[in-house]
Amino acid sequence: MTDKNRVVIFDTTLRDGEQSPGATMSHAEKLEIAGLLDEMGVDIIEAGFPIASEGDFEAVKAISEQTKNAVICGLARANFKDIDRCWEAVKHAAKPRIHTFIGTSELHRAIPNLTMDEMAEKIHETVSHARNLCDNVQWSPMDATRTEWDYLCRVVEIAIKAGATTINIPDTVGYTAPNESADLIRRLIANVPGADEVVFATHCHNDLGMATANSLAAVEGGARQIECTINGLGERAGNTALEEVVMAMKVRHDIIPFTTGIDSTKLMNISRRVAAVSGFAVQFNKAIVGKNAFAHESGIHQDGMLKNAETFEIMRPEDVGLSETNLVMGKHSGRAALRSKLSELGFELGDNQLKDVFVRFKALADQKKEIYDEDLIALMQVGSDVEDRIKLAALQVSCGMDLEKSAEMTLVIDGESQTTRQTGDGPVDAAFNAVKTLFAHSARLQLYQVSAVTEGTDAQATVSVRLEEDGKIATGQSADVDTVVASVRAYIDALNRLLVRREKSGGDLAEVSYKDAG
Ligand code: KIV
Ligand code: ZN
């Protein structure tokens, strides 16, 4: 018997999330995130857009092969070539799904320059083609919330007749509002012939900050699949945040009486991993997974919390996988203790990986007396899975009031050691100028972000650096108790990643346009 209140969680972190400029993940990172999503109980993982690049295809294929429980979905535009390529990648999954889409609003129809009738015909052909390959087909009328009502009903009916098993209603530009979102799904289910034989999905963007509310309203209206991403990662203001809709249904089950298969205690760990690999830090006051979401600093709050945690807490930190920050280890902790602590934090390491992390842990313990969970998490989030052509060998900076800011640096580039001394507006600027002098490149710094891992002036700084060169984007990360060292390492990490991307030929998402639907 199917549970009519069970909501399917469709995670698109690896597709819509990764599409966000700068959020590009490596092959290994995508596999790791897919593994965590599967373990957490996500029902469907949209693993990528196989036609977009060789790398995307390989990632979707590998995720299809490794995934144990979730349905694996790939995205395809409304043409046979895209759909065939998508099927080639997802057919390796135990439970494959093809997701094909076309923009149906007047503005989107104008892009491939199709009349309403021509588009309707194309939808019929492409959904039928997908259904001949795979018995699980999702179809999306992109920009559904701005599509003329009669035409939306017409194309949804065509897609159902052609064999779509899920109809997704995207609010592509984040334009709708909760009452409209609920009403749209309710009216589609009531008016489109065959609607009761398919699952309706909601896919919201957060341009007006209403994605979570709109998704939950759509469920109220009859949708039974929510499309979302970890941390709300996604283009512009992002997509619906998975952790928000899941916890809203859990905490307010009394008025939002729907269930999911998500193990919410895994939310914090996956949020941190997605933040680390995408280079998109989670804002401190982000609902559910933000650093301050469970922090109670004001005197009144603390007093209330000590008397009864429910005074200011509507959910327990443990429910989302947040354990009490504790002093974990120090200089004398051994390898076995490190392995066991990391495993508690969600990191399972092989022997070689542990060896590498242990060396870095010891180096950190020499610099910092008290090592907290957050320090270990930061330690795990740095370290690249790409071959480093450029390595930092030495760095000395000079700075202070009314002093010239300079950096003397030695880099090992392709095995050859080179040194320079450069000046700048500050120590970081001087150090970045030194990198640019030793390894000339035209990449533009798009983002430089620093945050403290823990409290105290001996805290490690985590640094994210995003570089862009000819439309290719790479994000580097590092953490160190020395902010300038962390900054230079993050810059070099981004540069190494960019070099790998430069070498790899083949199209990127940036080069594959959604408008090329025909
Ligand atoms: O936002 C959107 O319309 C999409 C589609 C491809 C489903 O992401
Ligand atoms: Zn989207």
PDB file of all heavy atoms in Angstrom, residues 63-93:
ATOM      1  N   ILE A  63      28.129   7.299 -10.909  1.00  0.00           N
ATOM      2  CA  ILE A  63      27.156   7.370  -9.802  1.00  0.00           C
ATOM      3  C   ILE A  63      26.081   6.294 -10.002  1.00  0.00           C
ATOM      4  O   ILE A  63      25.655   5.635  -9.055  1.00  0.00           O
ATOM      5  CB  ILE A  63      26.551   8.792  -9.697  1.00  0.00           C
ATOM      6  CG1 ILE A  63      27.633   9.780  -9.232  1.00  0.00           C
ATOM      7  CG2 ILE A  63      25.354   8.823  -8.754  1.00  0.00           C
ATOM      8  CD1 ILE A  63      27.272  11.244  -9.345  1.00  0.00           C
ATOM      9  N   SER A  64      25.693   6.087 -11.264  1.00  0.00           N
ATOM     10  CA  SER A  64      24.704   5.035 -11.561  1.00  0.00           C
ATOM     11  C   SER A  64      25.245   3.683 -11.120  1.00  0.00           C
ATOM     12  O   SER A  64      24.522   2.866 -10.537  1.00  0.00           O
ATOM     13  CB  SER A  64      24.411   4.981 -13.061  1.00  0.00           C
ATOM     14  OG  SER A  64      23.867   6.202 -13.477  1.00  0.00           O
ATOM     15  N   GLU A  65      26.518   3.461 -11.372  1.00  0.00           N
ATOM     16  CA  GLU A  65      27.101   2.149 -11.042  1.00  0.00           C
ATOM     17  C   GLU A  65      27.264   1.938  -9.537  1.00  0.00           C
ATOM     18  O   GLU A  65      27.098   0.845  -9.044  1.00  0.00           O
ATOM     19  CB  GLU A  65      28.469   2.007 -11.734  1.00  0.00           C
ATOM     20  CG  GLU A  65      28.314   1.729 -13.219  1.00  0.00           C
ATOM     21  CD  GLU A  65      29.578   1.996 -14.029  1.00  0.00           C
ATOM     22  OE1 GLU A  65      30.557   2.548 -13.484  1.00  0.00           O
ATOM     23  OE2 GLU A  65      29.580   1.669 -15.224  1.00  0.00           O
ATOM     24  N   GLN A  66      27.575   3.024  -8.832  1.00  0.00           N
ATOM     25  CA  GLN A  66      27.884   2.844  -7.391  1.00  0.00           C
ATOM     26  C   GLN A  66      26.664   2.892  -6.465  1.00  0.00           C
ATOM     27  O   GLN A  66      26.713   2.423  -5.341  1.00  0.00           O
ATOM     28  CB  GLN A  66      28.897   3.895  -6.922  1.00  0.00           C
ATOM     29  CG  GLN A  66      28.285   5.271  -6.636  1.00  0.00           C
ATOM     30  CD  GLN A  66      29.187   6.206  -5.811  1.00  0.00           C
ATOM     31  OE1 GLN A  66      30.395   6.034  -5.737  1.00  0.00           O
ATOM     32  NE2 GLN A  66      28.581   7.208  -5.185  1.00  0.00           N
ATOM     33  N   THR A  67      25.560   3.501  -6.939  1.00  0.00           N
ATOM     34  CA  THR A  67      24.454   3.776  -6.005  1.00  0.00           C
ATOM     35  C   THR A  67      23.631   2.534  -5.673  1.00  0.00           C
ATOM     36  O   THR A  67      23.217   1.799  -6.565  1.00  0.00           O
ATOM     37  CB  THR A  67      23.555   4.888  -6.582  1.00  0.00           C
ATOM     38  OG1 THR A  67      24.396   6.015  -6.813  1.00  0.00           O
ATOM     39  CG2 THR A  67      22.448   5.281  -5.622  1.00  0.00           C
ATOM     40  N   LYS A  68      23.394   2.375  -4.376  1.00  0.00           N
ATOM     41  CA  LYS A  68      22.710   1.151  -3.926  1.00  0.00           C
ATOM     42  C   LYS A  68      21.190   1.304  -3.867  1.00  0.00           C
ATOM     43  O   LYS A  68      20.457   0.421  -4.266  1.00  0.00           O
ATOM     44  CB  LYS A  68      23.211   0.776  -2.536  1.00  0.00           C
ATOM     45  CG  LYS A  68      24.681   0.379  -2.530  1.00  0.00           C
ATOM     46  CD  LYS A  68      25.056  -0.261  -1.195  1.00  0.00           C
ATOM     47  CE  LYS A  68      26.507  -0.676  -1.177  1.00  0.00           C
ATOM     48  NZ  LYS A  68      27.440   0.452  -1.118  1.00  0.00           N
ATOM     49  N   ASN A  69      20.720   2.454  -3.381  1.00  0.00           N
ATOM     50  CA  ASN A  69      19.278   2.549  -3.106  1.00  0.00           C
ATOM     51  C   ASN A  69      18.523   3.531  -3.998  1.00  0.00           C
ATOM     52  O   ASN A  69      17.434   3.228  -4.477  1.00  0.00           O
ATOM     53  CB  ASN A  69      19.058   2.993  -1.649  1.00  0.00           C
ATOM     54  CG  ASN A  69      19.824   2.104  -0.693  1.00  0.00           C
ATOM     55  OD1 ASN A  69      19.687   0.877  -0.753  1.00  0.00           O
ATOM     56  ND2 ASN A  69      20.649   2.698   0.152  1.00  0.00           N
ATOM     57  N   ALA A  70      19.078   4.718  -4.185  1.00  0.00           N
ATOM     58  CA  ALA A  70      18.320   5.787  -4.856  1.00  0.00           C
ATOM     59  C   ALA A  70      18.145   5.541  -6.357  1.00  0.00           C
ATOM     60  O   ALA A  70      18.954   4.858  -6.985  1.00  0.00           O
ATOM     61  CB  ALA A  70      19.041   7.120  -4.644  1.00  0.00           C
ATOM     62  N   VAL A  71      17.089   6.154  -6.890  1.00  0.00           N
ATOM     63  CA  VAL A  71      16.909   6.217  -8.345  1.00  0.00           C
ATOM     64  C   VAL A  71      17.956   7.203  -8.869  1.00  0.00           C
ATOM     65  O   VAL A  71      18.175   8.250  -8.249  1.00  0.00           O
ATOM     66  CB  VAL A  71      15.493   6.744  -8.683  1.00  0.00           C
ATOM     67  CG1 VAL A  71      15.345   7.033 -10.179  1.00  0.00           C
ATOM     68  CG2 VAL A  71      14.429   5.775  -8.197  1.00  0.00           C
ATOM     69  N   ILE A  72      18.606   6.902  -9.984  1.00  0.00           N
ATOM     70  CA  ILE A  72      19.565   7.847 -10.549  1.00  0.00           C
ATOM     71  C   ILE A  72      18.975   8.456 -11.818  1.00  0.00           C
ATOM     72  O   ILE A  72      18.564   7.752 -12.751  1.00  0.00           O
ATOM     73  CB  ILE A  72      20.924   7.184 -10.867  1.00  0.00           C
ATOM     74  CG1 ILE A  72      21.522   6.597  -9.588  1.00  0.00           C
ATOM     75  CG2 ILE A  72      21.891   8.198 -11.499  1.00  0.00           C
ATOM     76  CD1 ILE A  72      21.759   7.610  -8.464  1.00  0.00           C
ATOM     77  N   CYS A  73      18.965   9.790 -11.804  1.00  0.00           N
ATOM     78  CA  CYS A  73      18.323  10.525 -12.882  1.00  0.00           C
ATOM     79  C   CYS A  73      19.361  11.373 -13.614  1.00  0.00           C
ATOM     80  O   CYS A  73      20.290  11.902 -13.005  1.00  0.00           O
ATOM     81  CB  CYS A  73      17.270  11.409 -12.216  1.00  0.00           C
ATOM     82  SG  CYS A  73      16.394  12.470 -13.326  1.00  0.00           S
ATOM     83  N   GLY A  74      19.207  11.486 -14.927  1.00  0.00           N
ATOM     84  CA  GLY A  74      20.057  12.376 -15.710  1.00  0.00           C
ATOM     85  C   GLY A  74      19.158  13.348 -16.460  1.00  0.00           C
ATOM     86  O   GLY A  74      18.007  13.026 -16.782  1.00  0.00           O
ATOM     87  N   LEU A  75      19.683  14.533 -16.752  1.00  0.00           N
ATOM     88  CA  LEU A  75      18.883  15.553 -17.436  1.00  0.00           C
ATOM     89  C   LEU A  75      19.158  15.532 -18.945  1.00  0.00           C
ATOM     90  O   LEU A  75      20.294  15.279 -19.370  1.00  0.00           O
ATOM     91  CB  LEU A  75      19.223  16.936 -16.872  1.00  0.00           C
ATOM     92  CG  LEU A  75      18.377  18.096 -17.407  1.00  0.00           C
ATOM     93  CD1 LEU A  75      16.931  18.002 -16.914  1.00  0.00           C
ATOM     94  CD2 LEU A  75      18.949  19.463 -16.995  1.00  0.00           C
ATOM     95  N   ALA A  76      18.128  15.800 -19.719  1.00  0.00           N
ATOM     96  CA  ALA A  76      18.266  15.846 -21.177  1.00  0.00           C
ATOM     97  C   ALA A  76      17.326  16.908 -21.735  1.00  0.00           C
ATOM     98  O   ALA A  76      16.178  17.014 -21.289  1.00  0.00           O
ATOM     99  CB  ALA A  76      17.896  14.490 -21.774  1.00  0.00           C
ATOM    100  N   ARG A  77      17.817  17.695 -22.722  1.00  0.00           N
ATOM    101  CA  ARG A  77      16.911  18.625 -23.388  1.00  0.00           C
ATOM    102  C   ARG A  77      15.994  17.829 -24.319  1.00  0.00           C
ATOM    103  O   ARG A  77      16.154  16.605 -24.465  1.00  0.00           O
ATOM    104  CB  ARG A  77      17.729  19.651 -24.180  1.00  0.00           C
ATOM    105  CG  ARG A  77      18.496  20.618 -23.287  1.00  0.00           C
ATOM    106  CD  ARG A  77      19.541  21.369 -24.057  1.00  0.00           C
ATOM    107  NE  ARG A  77      20.494  20.438 -24.646  1.00  0.00           N
ATOM    108  CZ  ARG A  77      21.557  20.790 -25.345  1.00  0.00           C
ATOM    109  NH1 ARG A  77      21.805  22.064 -25.551  1.00  0.00           N
ATOM    110  NH2 ARG A  77      22.366  19.874 -25.835  1.00  0.00           N
ATOM    111  N   ALA A  78      15.068  18.548 -24.958  1.00  0.00           N
ATOM    112  CA  ALA A  78      14.059  17.856 -25.757  1.00  0.00           C
ATOM    113  C   ALA A  78      14.590  17.520 -27.157  1.00  0.00           C
ATOM    114  O   ALA A  78      14.141  18.073 -28.158  1.00  0.00           O
ATOM    115  CB  ALA A  78      12.805  18.723 -25.845  1.00  0.00           C
ATOM    116  N   ASN A  79      15.591  16.674 -27.211  1.00  0.00           N
ATOM    117  CA  ASN A  79      16.040  16.157 -28.505  1.00  0.00           C
ATOM    118  C   ASN A  79      16.593  14.747 -28.312  1.00  0.00           C
ATOM    119  O   ASN A  79      17.018  14.382 -27.209  1.00  0.00           O
ATOM    120  CB  ASN A  79      17.059  17.104 -29.167  1.00  0.00           C
ATOM    121  CG  ASN A  79      18.357  17.165 -28.393  1.00  0.00           C
ATOM    122  OD1 ASN A  79      19.076  16.176 -28.320  1.00  0.00           O
ATOM    123  ND2 ASN A  79      18.651  18.313 -27.797  1.00  0.00           N
ATOM    124  N   PHE A  80      16.578  13.960 -29.394  1.00  0.00           N
ATOM    125  CA  PHE A  80      16.938  12.538 -29.276  1.00  0.00           C
ATOM    126  C   PHE A  80      18.389  12.346 -28.837  1.00  0.00           C
ATOM    127  O   PHE A  80      18.713  11.432 -28.089  1.00  0.00           O
ATOM    128  CB  PHE A  80      16.708  11.820 -30.609  1.00  0.00           C
ATOM    129  CG  PHE A  80      15.248  11.613 -30.949  1.00  0.00           C
ATOM    130  CD1 PHE A  80      14.239  12.196 -30.181  1.00  0.00           C
ATOM    131  CD2 PHE A  80      14.878  10.823 -32.032  1.00  0.00           C
ATOM    132  CE1 PHE A  80      12.896  12.015 -30.491  1.00  0.00           C
ATOM    133  CE2 PHE A  80      13.537  10.625 -32.343  1.00  0.00           C
ATOM    134  CZ  PHE A  80      12.545  11.227 -31.580  1.00  0.00           C
ATOM    135  N   LYS A  81      19.278  13.233 -29.337  1.00  0.00           N
ATOM    136  CA  LYS A  81      20.699  13.086 -29.017  1.00  0.00           C
ATOM    137  C   LYS A  81      20.942  13.213 -27.501  1.00  0.00           C
ATOM    138  O   LYS A  81      21.642  12.403 -26.900  1.00  0.00           O
ATOM    139  CB  LYS A  81      21.473  14.186 -29.769  1.00  0.00           C
ATOM    140  CG  LYS A  81      22.904  13.848 -30.007  1.00  0.00           C
ATOM    141  CD  LYS A  81      23.517  14.823 -31.010  1.00  0.00           C
ATOM    142  CE  LYS A  81      25.002  14.914 -30.705  1.00  0.00           C
ATOM    143  NZ  LYS A  81      25.559  16.224 -30.864  1.00  0.00           N
ATOM    144  N   ASP A  82      20.342  14.219 -26.906  1.00  0.00           N
ATOM    145  CA  ASP A  82      20.473  14.418 -25.455  1.00  0.00           C
ATOM    146  C   ASP A  82      19.911  13.215 -24.694  1.00  0.00           C
ATOM    147  O   ASP A  82      20.497  12.733 -23.726  1.00  0.00           O
ATOM    148  CB  ASP A  82      19.647  15.638 -25.007  1.00  0.00           C
ATOM    149  CG  ASP A  82      20.444  16.933 -25.019  1.00  0.00           C
ATOM    150  OD1 ASP A  82      21.182  17.158 -25.984  1.00  0.00           O
ATOM    151  OD2 ASP A  82      20.301  17.719 -24.055  1.00  0.00           O
ATOM    152  N   ILE A  83      18.717  12.786 -25.145  1.00  0.00           N
ATOM    153  CA  ILE A  83      18.033  11.702 -24.419  1.00  0.00           C
ATOM    154  C   ILE A  83      18.835  10.401 -24.529  1.00  0.00           C
ATOM    155  O   ILE A  83      19.017   9.680 -23.539  1.00  0.00           O
ATOM    156  CB  ILE A  83      16.584  11.550 -24.953  1.00  0.00           C
ATOM    157  CG1 ILE A  83      15.774  12.807 -24.564  1.00  0.00           C
ATOM    158  CG2 ILE A  83      15.918  10.285 -24.428  1.00  0.00           C
ATOM    159  CD1 ILE A  83      14.426  12.934 -25.238  1.00  0.00           C
ATOM    160  N   ASP A  84      19.375  10.119 -25.721  1.00  0.00           N
ATOM    161  CA  ASP A  84      20.171   8.893 -25.901  1.00  0.00           C
ATOM    162  C   ASP A  84      21.417   8.923 -25.022  1.00  0.00           C
ATOM    163  O   ASP A  84      21.788   7.940 -24.399  1.00  0.00           O
ATOM    164  CB  ASP A  84      20.589   8.726 -27.370  1.00  0.00           C
ATOM    165  CG  ASP A  84      19.394   8.416 -28.263  1.00  0.00           C
ATOM    166  OD1 ASP A  84      18.331   8.061 -27.714  1.00  0.00           O
ATOM    167  OD2 ASP A  84      19.516   8.550 -29.508  1.00  0.00           O
ATOM    168  N   ARG A  85      22.067  10.085 -24.990  1.00  0.00           N
ATOM    169  CA  ARG A  85      23.282  10.232 -24.189  1.00  0.00           C
ATOM    170  C   ARG A  85      22.956  10.068 -22.695  1.00  0.00           C
ATOM    171  O   ARG A  85      23.704   9.453 -21.942  1.00  0.00           O
ATOM    172  CB  ARG A  85      23.873  11.626 -24.463  1.00  0.00           C
ATOM    173  CG  ARG A  85      25.237  11.859 -23.893  1.00  0.00           C
ATOM    174  CD  ARG A  85      26.312  11.181 -24.702  1.00  0.00           C
ATOM    175  NE  ARG A  85      27.623  11.487 -24.180  1.00  0.00           N
ATOM    176  CZ  ARG A  85      28.618  10.605 -24.135  1.00  0.00           C
ATOM    177  NH1 ARG A  85      28.455   9.387 -24.597  1.00  0.00           N
ATOM    178  NH2 ARG A  85      29.794  10.953 -23.663  1.00  0.00           N
ATOM    179  N   CYS A  86      21.837  10.620 -22.307  1.00  0.00           N
ATOM    180  CA  CYS A  86      21.401  10.508 -20.916  1.00  0.00           C
ATOM    181  C   CYS A  86      21.177   9.032 -20.568  1.00  0.00           C
ATOM    182  O   CYS A  86      21.638   8.539 -19.540  1.00  0.00           O
ATOM    183  CB  CYS A  86      20.118  11.319 -20.737  1.00  0.00           C
ATOM    184  SG  CYS A  86      19.444  11.238 -19.087  1.00  0.00           S
ATOM    185  N   TRP A  87      20.488   8.325 -21.462  1.00  0.00           N
ATOM    186  CA  TRP A  87      20.209   6.905 -21.212  1.00  0.00           C
ATOM    187  C   TRP A  87      21.504   6.094 -21.130  1.00  0.00           C
ATOM    188  O   TRP A  87      21.655   5.231 -20.256  1.00  0.00           O
ATOM    189  CB  TRP A  87      19.282   6.366 -22.306  1.00  0.00           C
ATOM    190  CG  TRP A  87      19.026   4.890 -22.180  1.00  0.00           C
ATOM    191  CD1 TRP A  87      19.290   3.927 -23.099  1.00  0.00           C
ATOM    192  CD2 TRP A  87      18.452   4.204 -21.045  1.00  0.00           C
ATOM    193  NE1 TRP A  87      18.939   2.695 -22.616  1.00  0.00           N
ATOM    194  CE2 TRP A  87      18.413   2.837 -21.356  1.00  0.00           C
ATOM    195  CE3 TRP A  87      17.977   4.620 -19.798  1.00  0.00           C
ATOM    196  CZ2 TRP A  87      17.923   1.874 -20.480  1.00  0.00           C
ATOM    197  CZ3 TRP A  87      17.491   3.659 -18.916  1.00  0.00           C
ATOM    198  CH2 TRP A  87      17.468   2.307 -19.260  1.00  0.00           C
ATOM    199  N   GLU A  88      22.461   6.405 -22.007  1.00  0.00           N
ATOM    200  CA  GLU A  88      23.754   5.705 -21.974  1.00  0.00           C
ATOM    201  C   GLU A  88      24.396   5.815 -20.593  1.00  0.00           C
ATOM    202  O   GLU A  88      25.074   4.904 -20.138  1.00  0.00           O
ATOM    203  CB  GLU A  88      24.720   6.303 -23.011  1.00  0.00           C
ATOM    204  CG  GLU A  88      24.494   5.823 -24.439  1.00  0.00           C
ATOM    205  CD  GLU A  88      24.481   4.301 -24.518  1.00  0.00           C
ATOM    206  OE1 GLU A  88      25.441   3.673 -24.049  1.00  0.00           O
ATOM    207  OE2 GLU A  88      23.477   3.755 -25.028  1.00  0.00           O
ATOM    208  N   ALA A  89      24.204   6.974 -19.947  1.00  0.00           N
ATOM    209  CA  ALA A  89      24.823   7.184 -18.621  1.00  0.00           C
ATOM    210  C   ALA A  89      24.009   6.546 -17.496  1.00  0.00           C
ATOM    211  O   ALA A  89      24.583   5.924 -16.605  1.00  0.00           O
ATOM    212  CB  ALA A  89      24.989   8.681 -18.361  1.00  0.00           C
ATOM    213  N   VAL A  90      22.681   6.693 -17.536  1.00  0.00           N
ATOM    214  CA  VAL A  90      21.888   6.214 -16.384  1.00  0.00           C
ATOM    215  C   VAL A  90      21.488   4.740 -16.481  1.00  0.00           C
ATOM    216  O   VAL A  90      21.079   4.148 -15.484  1.00  0.00           O
ATOM    217  CB  VAL A  90      20.603   7.063 -16.133  1.00  0.00           C
ATOM    218  CG1 VAL A  90      20.956   8.497 -15.785  1.00  0.00           C
ATOM    219  CG2 VAL A  90      19.636   6.996 -17.304  1.00  0.00           C
ATOM    220  N   LYS A  91      21.650   4.150 -17.659  1.00  0.00           N
ATOM    221  CA  LYS A  91      21.189   2.756 -17.803  1.00  0.00           C
ATOM    222  C   LYS A  91      21.964   1.797 -16.889  1.00  0.00           C
ATOM    223  O   LYS A  91      21.520   0.686 -16.636  1.00  0.00           O
ATOM    224  CB  LYS A  91      21.272   2.309 -19.266  1.00  0.00           C
ATOM    225  CG  LYS A  91      22.671   2.091 -19.770  1.00  0.00           C
ATOM    226  CD  LYS A  91      22.658   1.604 -21.208  1.00  0.00           C
ATOM    227  CE  LYS A  91      24.079   1.313 -21.657  1.00  0.00           C
ATOM    228  NZ  LYS A  91      24.214   1.171 -23.092  1.00  0.00           N
ATOM    229  N   HIS A  92      23.101   2.242 -16.377  1.00  0.00           N
ATOM    230  CA  HIS A  92      23.905   1.403 -15.476  1.00  0.00           C
ATOM    231  C   HIS A  92      23.321   1.362 -14.064  1.00  0.00           C
ATOM    232  O   HIS A  92      23.793   0.596 -13.227  1.00  0.00           O
ATOM    233  CB  HIS A  92      25.344   1.928 -15.429  1.00  0.00           C
ATOM    234  CG  HIS A  92      25.956   2.026 -16.793  1.00  0.00           C
ATOM    235  ND1 HIS A  92      26.594   0.969 -17.386  1.00  0.00           N
ATOM    236  CD2 HIS A  92      25.980   3.033 -17.686  1.00  0.00           C
ATOM    237  CE1 HIS A  92      27.000   1.331 -18.591  1.00  0.00           C
ATOM    238  NE2 HIS A  92      26.641   2.591 -18.795  1.00  0.00           N
ATOM    239  N   ALA A  93      22.358   2.199 -13.802  1.00  0.00           N
ATOM    240  CA  ALA A  93      21.793   2.254 -12.445  1.00  0.00           C
ATOM    241  C   ALA A  93      20.796   1.120 -12.227  1.00  0.00           C
ATOM    242  O   ALA A  93      20.123   0.677 -13.164  1.00  0.00           O
ATOM    243  CB  ALA A  93      21.095   3.600 -12.235  1.00  0.00           C
TER     244      ALA A  93
END
